[in-house]
Amino acid sequence: MARIVVLGAGGQVGQSIVAEAVKRGHEVTAVDQDKNSLNGISRQANAVAGDVTSRDVIQKQAQNADVVVVALTGSARPEHANAARAIVDVAGKLGNKAPAVIQVSSGGLLENTDGERILDTKDYPASERKEALDQADALDVLRAAKGSVKWSSIAPPPRNFGPGRRRDAYRTASDRPVVDAQGNIGISFEDFALAVIDEVEKPRFRNKRYTVGN
């Protein structure tokens, strides 16, 4: 059993990750700025309302955790990068006792077949670009981290990512989206959560960015 803290647990992705972790018998603390959003999480998780970019909040929760999963949604401000900076700072203070970090990233940071970042292509939704750029900054913070910071960054597909049928299977790739035999990309929240908790239990992508899809 692992002690897992999920930041941004009130969002749909965060709720799916909490549910998967609880189902597997892990001890879960679910943190979100919107306490009302925590009403939807599993009752077996410990719900905590707090600023998910605050060093004090993160340190309080991280000091007894094995893994911190960052599953923030939205980008009214540079919260992804701010959260990453706070986590790196806390991990540095905790040293060898610092938890591993799994960041839920953006599919817009993946590359197309021309090697171009998907968020930089003309077809990428303008409404999602600000958050993707914020995620890019967060990934840069993690990559630049030194010392005791153990991190993984998992990007969902850039489209067809939402609630759906659980297949209990997924495939991984590094810089480009996973594509099936018909040329489709996508994954459900449920199977994405499966991949996240698999990385908690058996880390395969330590200090790397990767992606998953069906």
Side-chain angles (χ1 to χ4, degrees):
M1 179 187 73
R3 295 166 298 178
I4 304 171
V5 173
V6 181
L7 303 179
Q12 287 184 295
V13 175
Q15 288 187 24
S16 297
I17 293 169
V18 170
E20 181 67 24
V22 166
K23 178 183 176 181
R24 298 204 208 175
H26 297 294
E27 180 183 324
V28 183
T29 299
V31 186
D32 202 282
Q33 295 175 154
D34 180 4
K35 65 179 182 180
N36 293 325
S37 69
L38 294 171
N39 293 333
I41 67 167
S42 169
R43 293 185 179 180
Q44 293 173 269
N46 176 35
V48 176
D51 183 352
V52 293
T53 66
S54 165
R55 284 172 172 78
D56 291 340
V57 171
I58 290 172
Q59 181 159 359
K60 182 178 180 179
Q61 301 304 327
Q63 61 188 353
N64 295 314
D66 298 307
V67 180
V68 173
V69 178
V70 187
L72 310 186
T73 58
S75 187
R77 56 195 175 98
E79 61 183 3
H80 297 289
N82 287 344
R85 293 186 187 102
I87 288 169
V88 167
D89 182 61
V90 167
K93 292 177 180 178
L94 292 176
N96 293 333
K97 295 182 179 179
V101 178
I102 299 178
Q103 178 210 35
V104 176
S105 188
S106 166
L109 305 190
L110 301 174
E111 299 175 358
N112 62 17
T113 54
D114 295 324
E116 183 180 14
R117 279 194 315 184
I118 292 171
L119 74 88
D120 294 326
T121 62
K122 63 179 181 180
D123 295 329
Y124 193 74
S127 60
E128 298 176 17
R129 193 167 187 273
K130 181 180 178 181
E131 181 172 3
L133 288 169
D134 189 12
Q135 286 278 23
D137 290 341
L139 181 57
D140 286 343
V141 170
L142 293 176
R143 283 174 166 165
K146 306 295 183 182
S148 59
V149 183
K150 305 179 294 290
W151 61 271
S152 303
S153 181
I154 175 171
R159 61 179 185 273
N160 300 325
F161 179 48
R165 180 169 63 89
R166 182 185 175 111
R167 300 183 183 181
D168 284 320
Y170 61 89
R171 292 175 293 144
T172 64
S174 55
D175 295 323
R176 295 181 181 178
V178 173
V179 181
D180 68 14
Q182 289 73 45
N184 300 314
I185 64 174
I187 196 170
S188 66
F189 287 157
E190 294 80 1
D191 284 335
F192 185 81
L194 173 71
V196 171
I197 303 304
D198 280 353
E199 181 66 13
V200 169
E201 294 180 347
K202 295 181 179 180
R204 295 192 296 147
F205 298 94
R206 189 58 56 79
N207 295 344
K208 294 180 181 179
R209 186 273 301 276
Y210 70 110
T211 185
V212 295
N214 290 128

